[in-house]
Amino acid sequence: MKKTVYSICGMCAVRCPVSVTVEGKEPVWIEGNSNDGGMGKSLCAKGGATLSQRLDSQRPTSPMIRTGERGEGQWKHVSWDEAFDYITDKLKGIIAKDGARSVIFSDRGGPFADLRKAFMKAIGSPNYHNHDCTCGRNTHHASKSVYGLGRKGFAYDYKNANHIVLFGRNITESIKVKEAKGFLKGVNNGAHVTYIDPRVTNTTGKATRYWQIKPGTDYALLLGITHYILKKEYYDKAFVKKWVTGLPKLKTFLKPYTPEWAEKETGIPADEIKAFCEEINEDRPKVIFHPGWMLARYSDSFYASRMIHILNALMGSIEIPGGLFYPKTPKDAGSAGLKSLGADIPAPEEKERADGCGTRYPHFDKGPGMFQLVYEAIETGKPYPIKAYFVHRHNPLIALPDSDEQKRILNKLDLIVATDVYFSEIAWFADVILPESTYIERDSILRTEKGLKPGFGRRQKCVEPINDTKAGWEIYVELAKRMGKGEYFPYESIEDIWNYQLQDTKVKIEDFDEKGFVKLAKDPIWYDRSKLKFGTDSGKIEIVNKKWEDMGIPCLQPYEPPAEPAGNGEYRLIFGRCGFQAHGMHHNNPILSQLLGSNKLWINADEAARLGIGDGDEVEVVAGDTKGTIEAKVTDFIHPQAVFMLHGFGKDIPAQERAFGKGLADQVFMKGQLKKWDKAGGGISLMESFVTVKALS
Ligand SMILES: Nc1nc2c(c(=O)[nH]1)N[C@H]1C(S)=C(S)[C@@H](COP(=O)(O)OP(=O)(O)OC[C@H]3O[C@@H](n4cnc5c(=O)[nH]c(N)nc54)[C@H](O)[C@@H]3O)O[C@H]1N2
Ligand SMILES: Nc1nc2c(c(=O)[nH]1)N[C@H]1C(S)=C(S)[C@@H](COP(=O)(O)OP(=O)(O)OC[C@H]3O[C@@H](n4cnc5c(=O)[nH]c(N)nc54)[C@H](O)[C@@H]3O)O[C@H]1N2
Ligand code: SF4
Ligand SMILES: [Mo]
C-alpha cells in the first residue's frame, strides 16, 4: 500500500516542503509538496538525494564514544543509555566546578532551534550560538542599523519585479527552491536582471547585464550608483520624504564618489553605471536590490550591505508587489503564535555571554551570538572558563576558517558532544557522537512560516529509522531530564510538544494532515503603506542611526580599497557553491558524490598563461605552510585578481570513503582568518584571504 506523507526537507537549511511516497515501510519517491503553489513538485538535486542519504552506510549508525585521541578516529559503539550517562556524568562535574555558563552550544539555527535554545536555558547557560557569523551577520546588522529590523525583516517578490539586482547572489545555483522559481518567473515576465560577480555563474546566463567586478569593491560600486541616483534625482521623493531620515548627510558624504571614481575602483565603466541608473529609474519602484550573502564576507561588507538597504528605500520599493515585503506573522493574521518551548524556563543567572555580544559588543544581537569569538574565550578563559561544547547540525571545522587553529583551541575543552547525521569533521573530533535520524526518519517541533500568508508547518517522520538513531527532540528532552531539568520538558511524545506549541492557537495537530502546513490567512496580507513599521527609535528608515553611532559604529564610512594580491602568482581566494551540494555536507552522499566528485581551481586564462598553466593541469595552492594540489580550470570567466574553488571538498575523514581526499578544502587556506572579521557587522571576512598558485613541473 502506498501513502503520501508531507514533511519538510532537511538536506539543507532552506527546509522546503516535501511530499514523500511510502510503500510498506520504505520511502520510494520524493518531490516538492505541491500544496504549496510556490514550490510545486520541484526539488533541487540535494533534496532528490534524500532517500540515498538514508541508505548511506558510511555514516554513524549508533552512538559512539571516543577511545583514542581527539580526531584520531578510534571509537566504541555504545547504547544510548551509555552515551547519555557518559555525557551527563561529565557535564554535572563541569557545572559543579565551573558553573553552567562554561557550557556552549553551536547550532545551525533555524525554525526548529527553539528546543535547543530551551535546553541551554534549562541548563543555565547564556552561550547559545547559531551559524550566522559565517553567513548573514553583516547584512543582518546592516539591516538593523538602517531599518531597525533584522535581515529577515523583508522578503522579495521577484516574480513581479521589473529589475532584480544581485551582488554575488547566485540565485540559480545557491538555491532556495521557491525563491529560484520566483526569480525565473520574474525573468520570464521580462524583468531586467543585473548580476555582479567577479565570476560568471549560471545566474549570469539569466541576467540582462553582467559586471565582472574587481573582488571586494562592491561598496565602491554602490557608492557610485547611489551618488548618481541622488544627483539625477532618480528616487521616490514622496516615499523618502515620509519615511527616510538623513538624506542631506548622505548627499554630502557621497560627493566624491562619482561613477567615474567608482570605475577606477571596480573596473566597471562609468557610462555603464550611469546607463544602469537610468534603467533603474524607469523600472522603479519595482526594483529589488538583494542585500547579499557573499557580499557579507569582506571586511567592509556591513557598509556595502547598508548601501543596498538604503538603495531599496530610495527606490520606494518597500511593501509593494515586485519589491520588498514584510513577511507577515501569525499575529498579522489575527492568531497567536506557537508557544516557545523555553517560555516557562527562567533565564540563566549569568547575563554576560562569553562572546561579549550585547555587552563588550553592544551592537551585536545576543540571540545567535558570534561563534568566532568563542575561540578567544576558550583560549583566554575570559570572561570566564569554557569547558563543554554541544554542537548540533553545525560544522565549524568547515564553516569557520583555519581548521587547524580551531582544533588546537577546541582541544582545551573537557567535553565535546556532536549531534550529526554524518561523520562530519566536528563529529570526528568530538568525544561523543549522537547520531540523529535522517530527516525523513524523524519528527521535528512545529515551525512558524512567515510570509504574505503566514502559518505553521510540520516536519513529520515518514518512515522508521534504519539505524540506532534518534530524533533531536528525543535527545535533548532525555538529556534535560537526566540533568534534573525534567520539569521543563514534560514530554513523552512529539504530540506532547506539538500540543504545547499550539496551546495558544486555534490550530489542532490534525489540521496539518491535509496539506502538511496550516495557513492562517486566505489572502495575501499587505500593510497599509501609510502606516509602515520600522524598528528604529524614530520609527523611520534612518540613514544615520544615532543609536549605532553612539555604540561606536559610524553609519557613513569612507571607502577604503581592498588589499591587493602581491602578484607573482598570488590571488584572492574566493569561493561559493553549486546546485548539487550544501556547504561541506553531502560530498559523500552515494548519488551526489557521483554528480560532482571533486572541485577545481578556477583561474583567469591570461594569468594561467603567464604561470604556464594549462586547462586540466594539476597545480599547487599554497598559503603559509598549507599546501595542496588541485586541477586547474582555466577560464575567462573569472577576474584576474581572484581564483575560485567550490566550498566543501577536500574531505579528510577516512570513514567518508567516497569523498576522502577528493579536491581541496578552501577553509584550510584561510590562515589567521579566525581573527579577521568585520568589526561593524560581526561577520567573518572569509573572502579576505590570499593564496599562491604554482604550476607543477
Ligand atoms: N570557507 C567557507 N566557509 C563557509 C562558507 C563557504 O562557502 N566557504 N559558507 C558559509 C555559509 S553561507 C554557511 S551558512 C555556513 C554553513 O556551515 P554550517 O552551518 O556548519 O552548515 P551545514 O553545512 O549546513 O551543516 C553542518 C552540519 O550539519 C550536519 N547535518 C546535516 N544534516 C543533519 C541533520 O539532519 N541532523 C543533524 N543533527 N546534523 C545534520 C552536517 O553533517 C554538518 O556537520 O558555512 C559558512 N562557511
Ligand atoms: N545548492 C546550494 N544552495 C544553497 C546553499 C548550498 O550550500 N548549496 N547554501 C545556502 C546558504 S546557507 C546560503 S548563505 C546561500 C548563499 O548564496 P550565495 O551568496 O548566492 O552563495 P555562493 O554560491 O557562495 O555565491 C557567492 C558568489 O559570490 C561571488 N563573489 C566573490 N567575491 C565577490 C565580490 O567581491 N563581489 C561580488 N559581487 N561577488 C563576489 C562568488 O564568485 C560566488 O559566485 O545559498 C543557500 N543555498
Ligand atoms: S533547497 Fe533543496 S536541499 Fe534545500 S531544503 Fe529545498 S529541496 Fe531540500
Ligand atoms: Mo549561509
Side-chain angles (χ1 to χ4, degrees):
M1 249 254 305
K2 277 190 189 174
K3 63 172 180 176
T4 298
V5 189
Y6 297 123
S7 193
I8 296 174
C9 182
M11 292 297 277
C12 89
V14 174
R15 305 178 183 90
C16 301
V18 290
S19 164
V20 178
T21 308
V22 178
E23 201 169 333
K25 290 182 174 173
E26 286 305 307
V28 292
W29 183 252
I30 181 163
E31 61 188 25
N33 178 354
S34 55
N35 291 320
D36 182 329
M39 187 74 197
K41 291 185 172 181
S42 312
L43 279 185
C44 81
K46 300 160 287 163
T50 295
L51 309 190
S52 101
Q53 179 191 46
R54 179 170 183 258
L55 297 174
D56 179 2
S57 58
Q58 293 176 18
R59 58 186 183 89
T61 51
S62 79
M64 294 163 85
I65 296 180
R66 173 170 69 81
T67 54
E69 293 299 309
R70 281 202 174 119
E72 219 180 43
Q74 306 291 322
W75 301 99
K76 67 174 174 189
H77 286 268
V78 296
S79 67
W80 280 95
D81 241 356
E82 281 172 275
F84 286 139
D85 278 348
Y86 180 91
I87 295 166
T88 47
D89 277 0
K90 280 226 162 188
L91 197 57
K92 283 177 185 163
I94 289 169
I95 292 177
K97 189 162 166 286
D98 288 298
R101 64 185 189 178
S102 70
V103 184
I104 53 169
F105 198 112
S106 82
D107 191 353
R108 173 71 204 193
F112 306 121
D114 191 44
L115 179 79
R116 273 105 63 184
K117 289 184 196 163
F119 170 74
M120 280 300 272
K121 207 173 172 194
I123 292 286
S125 171
N127 295 315
Y128 171 88
H129 303 262
N130 75 18
H131 75 291
D132 212 34
C133 65
T134 52
C135 184
R137 274 299 89 176
N138 288 330
T139 24
H140 173 77
H141 287 130
S143 178
K144 286 201 90 171
S145 75
V146 176
Y147 300 117
L149 302 168
R151 73 174 163 114
K152 294 183 181 159
F154 292 105
Y156 308 92
D157 183 17
Y158 295 108
K159 150 166 122 255
N160 297 305
N162 288 338
H163 203 133
I164 302 163
V165 191
L166 302 167
F167 289 80
R169 173 68 191 104
N170 186 6
I171 203 163
T172 60
E173 290 181 275
S174 301
I175 299 173
K176 291 174 150 195
V177 173
K178 277 200 258 182
E179 183 188 63
K181 291 183 77 161
F183 171 74
L184 292 177
K185 277 189 190 143
V187 169
N188 288 340
N189 290 341
H192 291 121
V193 177
T194 295
Y195 183 68
I196 301 138
D197 193 318
R199 180 180 75 103
V200 173
T201 67
N202 282 359
T203 306
T204 316
K206 297 289 172 197
T208 46
R209 174 185 290 101
Y210 167 63
W211 283 332
Q212 188 174 68
I213 194 168
K214 175 173 158 184
T217 64
D218 296 78
Y219 185 37
L221 175 62
L222 284 154
L223 292 173
I225 290 172
T226 318
H227 170 106
Y228 197 69
I229 281 176
L230 290 180
K231 181 178 162 188
K232 293 292 211 173
E233 304 195 332
Y234 289 163
Y235 61 94
D236 184 334
K237 289 200 193 104
F239 183 86
V240 169
K241 185 156 182 261
K242 186 161 174 55
W243 291 113
V244 181
T245 65
L247 197 68
K249 281 191 180 159
L250 180 65
K251 280 186 182 158
T252 310
F253 167 72
L254 287 172
K255 271 210 175 109
Y257 301 123
T258 59
E260 288 72 19
W261 168 86
E263 173 175 343
K264 288 198 191 97
E265 293 299 327
T266 62
I268 299 166
D271 286 351
E272 288 191 29
I273 296 175
K274 290 178 187 171
F276 164 77
C277 295
E278 267 133 37
E279 201 172 279
I280 286 289
N281 189 38
E282 295 292 312
D283 291 338
R284 74 185 166 81
K286 295 189 172 193
V287 175
I288 296 172
F289 281 85
H290 189 285
W293 263 313
M294 281 299 160
L295 190 73
R297 283 156 182 80
Y298 286 87
S299 47
D300 64 355
S301 294
F302 172 78
Y303 289 105
S305 191
R306 267 182 55 84
M307 209 45 74
I308 294 182
H309 290 302
I310 290 171
L311 274 167
N312 281 322
L314 293 177
M315 296 292 108
S317 60
I318 290 165
E319 199 61 1
I320 53 161
L324 283 65
F325 63 87
Y326 290 83
K328 310 302 179 306
T329 63
K331 199 167 153 214
D332 292 311
S335 165
L338 296 175
K339 181 160 179 173
S340 168
L341 296 164
D344 300 328
I345 306 175
E349 240 168 64
E350 177 62 67
K351 300 290 176 240
E352 184 181 7
R353 293 179 56 97
D355 61 11
C357 290
T359 50
R360 271 175 294 142
Y361 303 106
H363 55 297
F364 293 156
D365 253 5
K366 278 196 232 171
M370 214 69 79
F371 194 65
Q372 79 272 27
L373 300 173
V374 164
Y375 289 90
E376 199 180 307
I378 300 174
E379 180 100 305
T380 60
K382 286 182 186 143
Y384 43 75
I386 301 296
K387 298 289 175 186
Y389 174 30
F390 284 84
V391 51
H392 181 102
R393 213 200 169 288
H394 183 224
N395 191 358
L397 295 180
I398 297 289
L400 274 74
D402 207 342
S403 331
D404 289 344
E405 177 66 354
Q406 290 186 60
K407 285 183 190 168
R408 184 185 68 74
I409 300 173
L410 291 177
N411 219 5
K412 294 177 189 288
L413 297 172
D414 293 343
L415 178 66
I416 306 178
V417 179
T419 304
D420 210 308
V421 289
Y422 290 127
F423 286 118
S424 65
E425 288 70 8
I426 191 68
W428 200 249
F429 194 72
D431 304 328
V432 186
I433 301 178
L434 299 178
E436 189 168 31
S437 307
T438 63
Y439 83 86
I440 49 164
E441 301 173 317
R442 70 178 192 250
D443 298 298
S444 294
I445 67 171
L446 298 175
R447 73 171 178 189
T448 302
E449 297 179 346
K450 294 184 190 170
L452 289 172
K453 292 185 198 172
F456 306 124
R458 177 175 73 175
R459 172 187 284 156
Q460 62 174 334
K461 189 197 274 190
C462 307
V463 286
E464 290 303 316
I466 46 179
N467 295 310
D468 186 14
T469 55
K470 282 190 190 295
W473 73 267
E474 294 173 293
I475 295 173
Y476 295 102
V477 168
E478 184 61 27
L479 279 173
K481 284 182 177 166
R482 290 186 188 222
M483 290 303 291
K485 304 293 177 186
E487 65 184 296
Y488 303 124
F489 297 88
Y491 315 115
E492 297 301 327
S493 66
I494 192 68
E495 285 77 14
D496 289 348
I497 296 185
W498 292 344
N499 280 325
Y500 175 94
Q501 291 181 283
L502 288 171
Q503 64 185 277
D504 301 331
T505 73
K506 295 199 176 90
V507 177
K508 302 267 169 294
I509 297 177
E510 315 76 87
D511 298 344
F512 290 88
D513 293 345
E514 189 192 343
K515 294 185 169 168
F517 51 81
V518 172
K519 291 276 177 221
L520 298 165
K522 270 208 184 81
D523 300 312
I525 304 174
W526 291 94
Y527 291 150
D528 175 349
R529 274 191 104 220
S530 66
K531 297 181 194 149
L532 294 178
K533 298 174 204 164
F534 300 101
T536 51
D537 286 347
S538 63
K540 297 198 173 184
I541 299 167
E542 295 184 4
I543 292 175
V544 178
N545 184 326
K546 186 167 178 308
K547 201 160 128 192
W548 279 68
E549 299 228 308
D550 289 348
M551 290 189 292
I553 307 299
C555 284
L556 298 171
Q557 179 79 343
Y559 179 74
E560 278 189 31
E564 300 269 334
N568 297 327
E570 190 180 80
Y571 301 95
R572 184 181 288 272
L573 175 61
I574 65 172
F575 52 79
R577 24 211 105 241
C578 63
F580 324 117
Q581 276 300 338
H583 310 136
M585 256 203 274
H586 307 301
H587 294 68
N588 200 51
N589 176 280
I591 288 180
L592 297 174
S593 60
Q594 289 179 46
L595 286 182
L596 188 70
S598 186
N599 58 354
K600 294 182 182 177
L601 187 82
W602 292 41
I603 182 163
N604 177 273
D606 292 339
E607 294 294 313
R610 233 167 32 78
L611 298 176
I613 294 169
D615 189 39
D617 286 357
E618 285 287 308
V619 294
E620 187 175 54
V621 181
V622 185
D625 54 6
T626 301
K627 289 182 181 166
T629 56
I630 184 170
E631 186 182 325
K633 172 178 162 123
V634 174
T635 170
D636 290 329
F637 286 176
I638 183 160
H639 193 279
Q641 281 201 352
V643 289
F644 171 89
M645 274 185 213
L646 281 175
H647 176 54
F649 287 90
K651 293 278 164 203
D652 61 359
I653 307 298
Q656 299 203 341
E657 290 172 20
R658 299 175 208 101
F660 185 76
K662 304 251 176 82
L664 279 187
D666 55 343
Q667 74 279 355
V668 301
F669 292 98
M670 299 177 181
K671 293 290 171 192
Q673 295 290 111
L674 210 48
K675 292 196 172 145
K676 257 200 210 168
W677 46 279
D678 183 333
K679 298 296 179 289
I684 304 185
S685 310
L686 292 165
M687 298 262 192
E688 299 279 8
S689 63
F690 294 87
V691 293
T692 302
V693 179
K694 293 178 187 162
L696 284 178
S697 42

